[in-house]
């Protein structure tokens, strides 16, 4: 909805031939994510505060136009319904038309008010933030609709905004050739699985996986 970016909890950490993205899973489990990439590069890049704010502003402006278009469409549909209803009951048709107009207007004003408030927030960021080149970190709990500004990485709901890195990919390679890999592993934290976990980690050969890239 915001033209090409995703959110991640934290930056991956380089460990040997892979990038590690470990996190705590559901109760009683531990989740492991590894990203295997070429030449120690990442297939994505972090979006700066400036770019993120500019994208959000364009997104909010687009949503206002969509709200206005939806209002026009809804009012047209209500008018058509009114014309059909008044053939049977003019009083009820008029009541329906009036109530529809009030409700659709309320919905329009509610959306416009929120998105206008959002635009004011991003405009203020673009004017006053002295660190616009830093990575954009947002409160994932509030998301885009209730966006109130950027947060610190230590925030409980912090998420980094990322986008694909075109410079990483080799367009000359066939689509059948992997250019990066993601390995996901979830295991029960119960002590009975301790040996299995240890044996699994010993068997992992990230160097061999990395050698398969670009082939």
């Amino acid at each position: 909805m915001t033209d090409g970016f995703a959110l991640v909890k934290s930056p991956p950490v380089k460990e040997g031939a892979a990038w590690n993205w470990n996190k705590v899973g559901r109760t009683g489990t531990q989740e492991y994510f590894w990203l295997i990439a070429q030449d120690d590069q990442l297939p994505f890049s972090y979006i700066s505060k400036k770019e993120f704010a500019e994208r959000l502003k364009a997104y909010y402006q687009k949503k206002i136009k969509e709200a206005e278009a939806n209002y026009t469409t809804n009012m047209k549909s209500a008018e058509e319904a009114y014309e059909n209803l008044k053939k049977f009951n003019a009083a009820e048709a008029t009541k329906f038309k009036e109530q529809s107009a009030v409700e659709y207007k309320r919905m329009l004003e509610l959306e416009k008010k929120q998105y206008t408030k959002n635009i004011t927030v991003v405009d203020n960021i673009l004017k006053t933030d002295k660190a616009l080149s830093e990575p954009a970190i947002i409160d994932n709990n509030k998301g885009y609709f209730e966006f109130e500004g950027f947060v610190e990485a230590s925030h409980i709901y912090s998420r980094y905004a990322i986008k694909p890195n075109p410079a990483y990919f080799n367009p000359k390679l066939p689509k059948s050739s992997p250019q990066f890999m993601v390995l996901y592993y979830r295991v029960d934290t119960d002590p009975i699985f301790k040996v299995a976990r240890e044996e699994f980690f010993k068997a992992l050969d990230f160097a061999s996986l990395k050698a398969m890239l670009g082939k």
Side-chain angles (χ1 to χ4, degrees), residues 45-199:
S45 57
Y46 298 97
I47 296 178
S48 69
K49 290 182 178 179
K50 181 176 185 296
E51 181 180 352
F52 192 91
E54 290 173 340
R55 288 192 181 199
L56 276 187
K57 182 174 181 178
Y59 169 71
Y60 296 139
Q61 292 171 331
K62 178 182 177 182
K63 297 301 289 185
I64 289 176
K65 291 181 179 178
E66 287 180 356
E68 292 172 338
N70 289 336
Y71 172 75
T72 299
T73 299
N74 289 335
M75 289 301 294
K76 182 179 179 181
S77 297
E79 181 65 29
E80 292 173 352
Y82 163 75
E83 292 297 333
N84 290 325
L85 286 172
K86 75 176 183 178
K87 298 174 184 177
F88 306 98
N89 189 320
E92 286 298 320
T94 299
K95 181 179 178 181
F96 165 79
K97 182 177 180 180
E98 292 174 347
Q99 290 178 339
S100 296
V102 170
E103 178 61 18
Y104 291 142
K105 187 68 174 179
R106 186 191 68 81
M107 291 169 57
L108 173 62
E109 293 304 321
L110 184 64
E111 289 192 73
K112 289 182 67 174
K113 180 180 179 180
Q114 181 62 51
Y115 291 127
T116 299
K117 177 183 176 181
N118 294 144
I119 290 175
T120 299
V121 170
V122 294
D123 276 340
N124 185 58
I125 288 172
L126 291 169
K127 291 177 182 177
T128 64
D129 198 316
K130 304 301 182 183
L132 289 175
S133 62
E134 293 182 356
I137 307 175
I138 73 166
D139 179 343
N140 191 54
N141 192 46
K142 293 184 179 298
Y144 313 132
F145 189 70
E146 298 181 86
F147 181 74
E148 297 177 347
F150 297 110
V151 299
E152 298 297 324
S154 58
H155 190 283
I156 185 172
Y157 297 118
S158 65
R159 293 291 186 277
Y160 286 75
I162 63 172
K163 62 181 179 180
N165 176 17
Y168 172 89
F169 299 94
N170 182 356
K172 296 181 180 180
L173 290 174
K175 292 182 178 180
S176 59
S177 177
Q179 299 197 44
F180 70 90
M181 296 182 188
V182 174
L183 178 61
Y184 168 71
Y185 175 60
R186 191 178 77 188
V187 63
D188 197 303
T189 56
D190 191 286
I192 196 171
F193 293 97
K194 182 176 183 296
V195 174
R197 285 198 302 272
E198 294 175 349
E199 291 302 315

